[in-house]
Amino acid sequence: MRYHIFKYSPNSCLLISDSQAKHLDFSNINVLSLPGAKIKDIYGFVPSKGRYNKIVLFAGGNDLYISYRPSTISVSEVADRIVLLAEHLLSVCDRVFVLGVPARYPPEPERELFQDHELNRHFALNRKLEKIADKSSWRFRGLSDKIYCESHVSERDHVHLNSAALSGLRTILKQRVLYEDYSVELRWTEIKEYECTRESGCLCGSFIGS
């Protein structure tokens, strides 16, 4: 890896991510951002056993896509890579969470070159991970299918999450990972940066978390 970003917190929860989390500021979670990282690159940054009581994995986008274009790696293979890493993380931490991989959308002129299933392969990946998690010891938080849609992808690079999505991610990490509180149904309308509406066709109108 060329470099990594580590944002320290006294809390014993660690988020391991690619560059999607490089602008995520969260005082209650240690954030390790590895720009450009594929799943195989993360093994070199796995912490020692017992260092954290919760580890959150938020990666796989660089395996599923090359920049904002679909990669040649199949959805099943990417899922297998994530599952193997999640199982490895369980060897150093008892509580492991896997976050859904968000969408990446090419700019409009280039979008016509791809089929719908290529543009929406993150949906297939997250559904597959959700099914596998039901029979596993790690937990899946299917964020992508519910909060990460085209309107939450940066218009600048068509890859990274914009401020609205990062705000939503902070809310989910707090409620669904740190506190594991499911008593309150979270809605995007609780987030100040929320700009999407159900009427606009945004997928974010539904509840977040799983």
Side-chain angles (χ1 to χ4, degrees):
M1 300 299 301
R2 290 178 300 167
Y3 67 98
H4 66 275
I5 303 167
F6 186 76
K7 300 179 181 180
Y8 172 76
S9 167
N11 196 294
S12 56
C13 179
L14 173 67
L15 172 70
I16 304 177
S17 177
D18 49 30
S19 59
Q20 290 290 5
K22 67 180 180 180
H23 295 303
L24 179 67
D25 292 313
F26 200 150
S27 60
N28 293 325
I29 292 180
N30 295 276
V31 178
L32 174 61
S33 175
L34 306 169
K38 294 184 178 181
I39 293 299
K40 65 179 178 62
D41 300 315
I42 294 175
Y43 284 90
F45 293 87
V46 172
S48 58
K49 185 174 183 178
R51 174 66 180 83
Y52 298 97
N53 60 23
K54 291 183 181 180
I55 295 179
V56 184
L57 178 62
F58 185 34
N62 293 323
D63 296 78
L64 197 63
Y65 299 95
I66 299 175
S67 184
Y68 52 71
R69 301 178 182 90
S71 74
T72 58
I73 304 172
S74 70
V75 169
S76 294
E77 184 174 348
V78 176
D80 289 343
R81 294 179 183 184
I82 293 174
V83 169
L84 287 174
L85 178 55
E87 292 174 349
H88 179 66
L89 291 173
L90 282 170
S91 69
V92 301
C93 180
D94 293 334
R95 307 284 286 168
V96 173
F97 299 82
V98 174
L99 301 188
V101 175
R104 298 186 185 185
Y105 288 97
E108 196 65 48
E110 194 172 333
R111 200 167 304 175
E112 297 178 359
L113 301 175
F114 301 99
Q115 301 294 323
D116 286 345
H117 73 274
E118 293 178 303
L119 295 174
N120 296 311
R121 62 202 318 249
H122 62 289
F123 285 123
L125 173 62
N126 293 325
R127 291 190 182 104
K128 186 178 289 292
L129 290 172
E130 184 174 20
K131 290 180 180 178
I132 297 173
D134 287 340
K135 302 176 182 179
S136 305
S137 298
W138 51 272
R139 298 189 175 191
F140 178 70
R141 294 293 176 259
L143 313 182
S144 279
D145 287 4
K146 296 188 176 181
I147 72 167
Y148 296 149
C149 65
E150 180 178 359
S151 57
H152 290 143
V153 178
S154 168
E155 294 182 359
R156 181 178 59 83
D157 62 15
H158 305 279
V159 170
H160 294 97
L161 301 176
N162 61 22
S163 59
L166 288 175
S167 177
L169 179 59
R170 279 191 293 270
T171 301
I172 293 163
L173 287 171
K174 178 180 178 181
Q175 293 287 353
R176 300 299 195 239
V177 175
L178 280 180
Y179 301 143
E180 298 188 56
D181 180 8
Y182 306 95
S183 61
V184 178
E185 291 179 321
L186 303 176
R187 293 179 182 271
W188 264 91
T189 49
E190 297 175 0
I191 301 168
K192 292 182 179 180
E193 290 89 345
Y194 177 80
E195 297 177 350
C196 306
T197 63
R198 187 183 294 274
E199 291 73 21
S200 69
C202 177
L203 296 175
C204 307
S206 56
F207 296 138
I208 58 179
S210 63

